Amino acid sequence: MDMTTRRAGTLIAAALILGVVTQIFYMMTLGGPQASDPAAGVTNADVVRYFTERWPEIATVWTIELAAFSVIAVAGLVAMVRGAPAPAAWAALLFSGLFNVIQVGIGLSMFRPAALAGEALAPVFSVVVAGAFLFYFLAKVLLALAGIGFGLLLFAGDRTSAKAFGALAVLFGLAAAALNILAIPQGMAMVFEAGAAGTAAALTTAIAMWLVTRRDA
């Protein structure tokens, strides 16, 4: 594997791990709008307060993710053009990065204006969020498929340790792909389960892809 493809693999692995870190950080510190009255559930006032008070932090995390996903898309394209093994896995990474750019872009550009538009337009905000999460789930499906592809490459090798990690990447990829496919028609009902599985698959995909680029060096 040539040096350019190896560098592309290193960039993608770093960007994926950065995405894992930001996802964990977001869920632990920001999480989403919280109900001021648990009995009433999350109201439009709660959504407005969230995007008003926490917007600087939200925008910072999402901008970092936007940069990371852009790197994944461009580096995935470079690897495909250079004729890297398992082109389908690299293509899945490319489109995963692209769809993640779209979903984060929707969040950065539309979530706050839609949330602050008033209670009468609350359904519009819900539609915008649903659209963003469709791309979110689809991106995780593609990322999981990439993990399966790279995991199979490792599993087909000679090293026992690589085979073991390849099997792990395939298992995590299958679980993430299944959960995110199921989540697509259900909207927000499976966000936590699908997101957690996708985040775990992102980590195993990053390591599996990095190992593949080093093995074929």
Side-chain angles (χ1 to χ4, degrees), residues 97-126:
L98 180 60
F99 290 144
N100 269 317
V101 166
I102 293 173
Q103 64 97 1
V104 173
I106 292 173
L108 277 170
S109 63
M110 298 184 186
F111 275 20
R112 188 168 184 266
L116 301 183
E119 190 166 357
L121 293 178
V124 174
F125 173 73
S126 298

Side-chain angles (χ1 to χ4, degrees), residues 99-194:
F99 290 144
N100 269 317
V101 166
I102 293 173
Q103 64 97 1
V104 173
I106 292 173
L108 277 170
S109 63
M110 298 184 186
F111 275 20
R112 188 168 184 266
L116 301 183
E119 190 166 357
L121 293 178
V124 174
F125 173 73
S126 298
V127 169
V128 171
V129 171
F133 271 94
L134 183 146
F135 287 107
Y136 174 86
F137 295 134
L138 182 56
K140 290 196 180 299
V141 171
L142 290 167
L143 180 61
L145 293 178
I148 293 170
F150 291 122
L152 289 173
L153 277 180
L154 290 177
F155 192 75
D158 298 326
R159 293 177 55 189
T160 302
S161 58
K163 282 178 175 289
F165 192 84
L168 186 66
V170 169
L171 289 174
F172 273 81
L174 288 170
L179 284 171
N180 280 276
I181 288 171
L182 288 172
I184 289 174
Q186 298 189 46
M188 306 295 291
M190 292 181 61
V191 167
F192 180 80
E193 296 87 348

